[in-house]
Amino acid sequence: MSALSQLELNGCRKLLKLLPADDLLTLKDTVTNRMIAVESSREAIEAIITYSQNSEELLKRKKVHRDIIFKYLTIEGVVVPPNSEKQQLVKRTLELWSSGNNSVNDNNPGHSDKSGDGLADLTELGKQFCQWYFHIFNSQNPMADQPAKEWGPQHFWKDVRLLILSYTGEQQKEEFHGAELVCQRLLALVEEERLVFCPNLAHPGMQCFSTPHGLVLVAVAGTIHRDTTCLGIFEQVFGLIRAPMDGNSWKIKSLHLKIKGQISREKLPEVTYDVNEMLQLLM
């Protein structure tokens, strides 16, 4: 019988939900030697998990295709090279489940900061912010197979500014002002265009700086996906300022989003801006 940890159980359930119904039933028959009858996909998933020896064995099954694991990691916000082989994806998934990081707090990280100004460890602050932001952002995608988290203008300053530069063919530039408009434009990327943004949270995929005036700059690079297709890369710079009247949480003051259609299959996306360039982008 299965001896999976709770993290592995949760992860396996989410991953198996991505399988087509026919593949799911075939996998159930293989794992259970056709000894278990089921009446729904949910029952099939539970049978597969119960009769799998371990999570690695399950991930290596033929019906758990490479594209399914890639899509699962994408939904979980894990950046992997688009040309990764199934063996590499299995290894990365097992690392995710063993690390305990596949459960992201839905609260703005600033709300949980009880000591000082939260700037003692800028890298950790930036990582927590990105995990929080992209988790709720990507959950708005109707294909994400997870309940949509609370997304709205409350996460932005009222005078927030968004600039989007797109290099997918000919260059396009869009600019938006105000929490409502910025929130709606960003939402359209994931809800209507069905994009998923996967940040690379390891240096140099993410960098953070602070200014003497209380502005924190978080820059992050990553890949953009639709379903199992990697469409390109992005580089995003956030300007964060604390909101003393709102629990002293960090709110987004400005955003700069650059999207490129080109994909490097040799390495993960990296931040290309230095701190002065970031400040200029957000002015």
Side-chain angles (χ1 to χ4, degrees):
M1 302 291 279
S2 174
L4 277 64
S5 69
Q6 190 60 50
L7 289 173
E8 290 174 316
L9 288 171
N10 294 339
C12 286
R13 288 190 181 102
K14 293 179 72 172
L15 185 146
L16 290 172
K17 286 180 181 179
L18 302 176
L19 266 67
D22 290 346
D23 285 353
L24 189 64
L25 291 175
T26 300
L27 179 59
K28 185 271 298 180
D29 287 342
T30 301
V31 173
T32 66
N33 288 324
R34 299 180 181 270
M35 297 295 291
I36 303 295
V38 299
E39 297 182 354
S40 66
S41 295
R42 183 184 62 80
E43 290 182 4
I45 290 172
E46 293 307 313
I48 292 168
I49 291 174
T50 299
Y51 287 89
S52 292
Q53 295 298 316
N54 53 61
S55 54
E56 183 175 7
E57 177 200 61
L58 175 55
L59 290 171
K60 289 183 176 179
R61 295 283 187 181
K62 288 184 178 180
K63 286 298 181 182
V64 183
H65 301 294
R66 174 208 170 277
D67 287 351
I68 293 295
I69 304 176
F70 186 86
K71 182 176 182 180
Y72 167 77
L73 289 173
T74 298
I75 291 172
E76 291 300 307
V78 177
V79 179
V80 290
N83 63 337
S84 298
E85 297 180 355
K86 180 178 178 180
Q87 182 179 355
Q88 296 171 302
L89 298 178
V90 168
K91 180 181 178 183
R92 188 65 189 90
T93 304
L94 294 173
E95 289 174 351
L96 174 68
W97 291 346
S98 64
S99 70
N101 289 333
N102 58 327
S103 178
V104 180
N105 194 326
D106 296 334
N107 294 321
N108 183 312
H111 284 301
S112 60
D113 177 35
K114 302 298 183 181
S115 59
D117 58 5
L119 302 181
D121 190 339
L122 271 179
T123 300
E124 183 61 26
L125 171 63
K127 183 176 181 180
Q128 288 183 14
F129 169 78
C130 287
Q131 287 177 329
W132 166 80
Y133 175 85
F134 288 103
H135 184 58
I136 64 170
F137 186 47
N138 288 326
S139 76
Q140 310 305 312
N141 187 318
M143 305 299 290
D145 193 41
Q146 59 177 310
K149 308 301 180 184
E150 185 181 3
W151 173 265
Q154 69 273 17
H155 301 308
F156 305 86
W157 285 89
K158 288 184 178 181
D159 59 348
V160 62
R161 171 177 173 265
L162 166 66
L163 183 65
I164 301 178
L165 295 179
S166 178
Y167 299 89
T168 53
E170 58 184 62
Q171 180 179 344
Q172 292 183 317
K173 179 179 178 180
E174 301 177 73
E175 188 168 345
F176 302 87
H177 295 266
E180 290 287 349
L181 282 178
V182 168
C183 181
Q184 291 173 14
R185 181 61 187 100
L186 290 170
L187 181 61
L189 292 173
V190 289
E191 189 175 62
E192 298 175 15
E193 299 181 42
R194 297 188 294 109
L195 301 179
V196 175
F197 290 73
C198 291
N200 176 18
L201 300 185
H203 184 82
M206 184 196 73
Q207 297 188 44
C208 305
F209 303 93
S210 63
T211 72
H213 308 292
L215 176 68
V216 169
L217 304 174
V218 178
V220 62
T223 51
I224 304 174
H225 307 258
R226 182 182 289 121
D227 297 325
T228 58
T229 303
C230 185
L231 301 178
I233 60 176
F234 74 92
E235 191 169 0
Q236 190 161 4
V237 182
F238 300 88
L240 308 179
I241 297 180
R242 279 201 180 279
M245 303 303 291
D246 191 8
N248 210 31
S249 63
W250 293 100
K251 285 194 174 186
I252 302 169
K253 180 72 171 178
S254 51
L255 303 94
H256 184 280
L257 175 60
K258 180 171 67 176
I259 296 174
K260 289 185 176 181
Q262 65 192 53
I263 305 169
S264 171
R265 296 185 177 274
E266 303 300 323
K267 62 180 182 179
L268 296 176
E270 300 177 356
V271 171
T272 60
Y273 303 121
D274 62 29
V275 61
N276 292 323
E277 290 172 327
M278 291 183 204
L279 286 169
Q280 291 176 2
L281 290 175
L282 300 181
M283 292 296 289

